[in-house]
Amino acid sequence: MNNEPNADELMWAEGLEVVGKLEASGYQAYLVGGCVRDHLMGRSLHDIDIATSAKPEEVIALFDRTVPTGLKHGTVTVLEGGRSFEVTTFRQESGYSDSRRPDEVEFVLDVREDLARRDFTFNAMAIGIEGVIVDPFGGQDALRAGVVDCVGEASERFNEDALRMLRAIRFGAEFEFVLLPDIWQAIVKHRSNLKHVAIERVSSEWDKMMAGSGPEQACHYLFKSGLLTNVKDPLPETVQHAIEQYRFNELSWEWDKWGMAAADESSFGNILNLPLLFDPDMRWAALLIGMRISEEDSDELCHTLRMSGRRSTRIVGIVGMNEQMVTYEELSFKEGWIRVVLAYGRSIAEDWLEINEVCNGVFVPEAREWLSEILVSTISELNVRGDELVSYIGQAPGPWIAITLQELLEDVALGYVPNDKGSLLVAAKENMGNRKM
Ligand code: ATP
Ligand code: MG
């Protein structure tokens, strides 16, 4: 039997060592928040937070390597054994006049007071050096019952900080927990406060939901709550419209009921299959396709959500490719497919095929085969250069070069012209002649 501790157990033990060192110096200290929750749930840990009665300067004095991450809020990052631990002085928060951040932070002496500022009961637990669990608000009960429950009154807590509404939805969807009625009502009541939350935070929460284990449930809550019509920078109108349709029960999660028309007119599958896609970008693309959002509006959405250029190019590319595929007739399918592959690139084409296969069970084995048969997919792979065209054809350089190269690319990819210089030059001249007529 393998008794080696796993990575999470190691991290946990090292966190306890930091706690032990603080305790040995006469301070109180606990592992706290998300890591306690995940530990009790048997989920893997991503980071370890420690709460202590020691003041930031005392923490800095005690450990060899520290980073003053957020001294104003009492947070010092302690570097130990190649890891980092966020060590935060017990604190209380008050006066959330901007619906997002506390106006005042005050250091306190009791861990329970620190736990009281936290959002959900399962996030408001601490574990000390002897393994004692401090759980003043019934976090363990919530975990057992599978419910998301606020510390204190939901309406008050969401009014203090609007981001908590998104966190409630994220945890509910991720853990397959029930959002208690008072939580749901409080979200609906305070949804317009979402406009006080920086778009980056909204985006990062939504993205975490898309990457998590319950993206379809998360979107259900997000859409039904009306939260997303209250984003600081409004989402594109078509996106809002699709959300509203879903919200008012005109549509369900069935993709075909979104009015989706796939290349073969069959249903585009079911959004409940989103978790079957491994990659969050693919999930975003599948969601947008399911919602019938255009390439252009998908681009706008990615922009509004401040997605990186790399990610939006991929997501928008898949959506755009899908839009193109829908327009091709069965007869010219191969030719259409190859042209679309040239326009969007091989890797987008592979993504699109995967979405079809995974979400819709629509297998197009020929398309995969054709993809592997395409000899060239970019102009740089052609065995002719623009300057060679200029001297062979004897025409001054101009926009015609790019047009001709693109035509040659299609000719070669479709198998009409071999990819050797002689044939390419002859074909180029012919194409130009045809164009003049
Ligand atoms: P995850 O790391 O999976 O996002 P987490 O619960 O660890 O979940 P963090 O943002 O890392 O979330 O926050 C750590 C802890 O800080 C939380 O467990 C919670 O106790 C507290 N917390 C975080 N954000 C808020 C908030 N907006 N309001 C109140 N407490 C919060
Ligand atoms: Mg965390």
Side-chain angles (χ1 to χ4, degrees):
M1 227 176 80
N2 181 5
N3 284 325
E4 294 278 302
N6 66 28
D8 285 330
E9 288 164 349
L10 268 179
M11 185 153 127
W12 184 261
E14 287 173 24
L16 280 176
E17 277 176 31
V18 175
V19 168
K21 193 160 176 186
L22 284 156
E23 290 274 350
S25 307
Y27 304 108
Q28 301 165 52
Y30 298 89
L31 300 175
V32 74
C35 68
V36 171
R37 175 200 69 216
D38 290 342
H39 176 77
L40 293 174
M41 291 179 86
R43 292 171 62 91
S44 75
L45 313 173
H46 18 117
D47 43 30
I48 292 226
D49 292 325
I50 292 166
T52 180
S53 60
K55 298 287 183 313
E57 58 278 10
E58 294 170 328
V59 175
I60 291 171
L62 189 58
F63 293 92
D64 293 340
R65 295 177 61 213
T66 58
V67 182
T69 317
L71 289 188
K72 227 174 55 196
H73 298 104
T75 304
V76 173
T77 302
V78 170
L79 305 167
E80 284 276 298
R83 268 188 230 281
S84 61
F85 302 90
E86 296 244 302
V87 180
T88 305
T89 308
F90 296 155
R91 65 173 207 235
Q92 225 172 20
E93 300 177 339
S94 56
Y96 298 79
S97 53
D98 65 356
S99 297
R100 176 63 192 100
R101 286 175 192 292
D103 304 332
E104 262 179 64
V105 177
E106 191 193 338
F107 294 145
V108 292
L109 287 172
D110 186 350
V111 68
R112 282 156 203 270
E113 288 184 74
D114 179 274
L115 294 174
R117 74 175 162 90
R118 295 171 185 269
D119 46 9
F120 305 108
T121 57
F122 52 56
N123 282 348
M125 296 184 277
I127 292 189
I129 188 74
E130 310 283 342
V132 243
I133 304 181
V134 186
D135 178 14
F137 305 103
Q140 292 170 97
D141 293 339
L143 290 184
R144 272 189 291 267
V147 296
V148 179
D149 195 6
C150 282
V151 173
E153 224 224 309
S155 177
E156 205 175 295
R157 303 309 311 277
F158 294 165
N159 196 36
E160 287 173 353
D161 175 1
L163 184 70
R164 291 173 187 156
M165 299 186 280
L166 294 179
R167 288 172 56 88
I169 289 177
R170 172 157 65 87
F171 293 126
E174 183 67 30
F175 305 154
E176 293 182 57
F177 278 13
V178 171
L179 298 182
L180 290 176
D182 65 316
I183 298 243
W184 184 252
Q185 281 153 19
I187 290 177
V188 172
K189 181 172 168 197
H190 293 295
R191 62 187 173 212
S192 67
N193 279 351
L194 197 67
K195 62 180 179 294
H196 301 300
V197 178
I199 193 93
E200 289 81 359
R201 298 304 301 264
V202 175
S203 176
S204 119
E205 286 294 326
W206 193 358
D207 198 35
K208 278 187 197 170
M209 295 179 210
M210 291 300 283
S213 59
E216 70 298 343
Q217 184 65 47
C219 288
H220 173 80
Y221 287 142
L222 281 178
F223 292 10
K224 281 282 179 192
S225 65
L227 275 166
L228 294 177
T229 38
N230 293 288
V231 181
K232 192 178 228 166
D233 295 1
L235 306 182
E237 258 174 50
T238 52
V239 174
Q240 290 200 46
H241 181 71
I243 291 173
E244 292 292 275
Q245 276 183 299
Y246 181 81
R247 182 170 154 209
F248 295 111
N249 264 333
E250 287 162 41
L251 295 168
S252 77
W253 271 150
E254 296 289 330
W255 276 19
D256 46 341
K257 289 186 193 151
W258 288 94
M260 188 59 218
D264 61 356
E265 289 295 319
S266 74
S267 143
F268 215 89
N270 197 306
I271 205 161
L272 294 171
N273 292 335
L274 277 187
L276 299 177
L277 292 167
F278 177 68
D279 193 293
D281 293 351
M282 297 275 274
R283 293 180 178 183
W284 275 107
L287 177 69
L288 293 169
I289 289 172
M291 290 170 75
R292 303 214 74 198
I293 305 302
S294 70
E295 178 174 8
E296 198 184 340
D297 289 345
S298 299
D299 190 43
E300 196 185 322
L301 178 71
C302 289
H303 187 78
T304 304
L305 294 179
R306 315 286 197 271
M307 290 240 186
S308 71
R310 204 192 169 84
R311 294 189 63 194
S312 37
T313 302
R314 182 167 178 216
I315 295 165
V316 175
I318 301 169
V319 174
M321 176 152 198
N322 187 68
E323 221 170 272
Q324 297 293 318
M325 289 310 296
V326 171
T327 65
Y328 279 105
E329 298 288 332
E330 198 77 49
L331 270 179
S332 59
F333 192 68
K334 179 174 182 182
E335 198 169 317
W337 170 242
I338 292 175
R339 282 187 206 285
V340 172
V341 172
L342 295 182
Y344 288 88
R346 268 176 204 275
S347 79
I348 298 277
E350 271 157 22
D351 288 344
W352 183 81
L353 283 172
E354 192 182 327
I355 287 183
N356 270 276
E357 289 166 3
V358 171
C359 283
N360 312 330
V362 175
F363 288 87
V364 196
E366 301 91 334
R368 278 213 184 274
E369 215 175 289
W370 297 330
L371 191 61
S372 67
E373 284 168 7
I374 299 177
L375 294 173
V376 290
S377 56
T378 59
I379 282 176
S380 63
E381 292 168 85
L382 287 175
N383 282 320
V384 73
R385 293 188 313 263
D387 61 309
E388 293 168 331
L389 288 178
V390 169
S391 50
Y392 181 77
I393 290 169
Q395 191 170 315
W400 66 269
I401 299 178
I403 298 169
T404 307
L405 286 170
Q406 189 59 37
E407 279 176 353
L408 289 176
L409 180 63
E410 288 186 7
D411 286 346
V412 174
L414 290 164
Y416 300 154
V417 175
N419 189 15
D420 63 72
K421 205 181 303 288
S423 312
L424 290 166
L425 289 171
V426 171
K429 200 164 203 168
E430 222 167 81
N431 286 351
M432 295 209 36
N434 291 342
R435 227 180 295 134
K436 274 190 200 111
M437 289 195 317

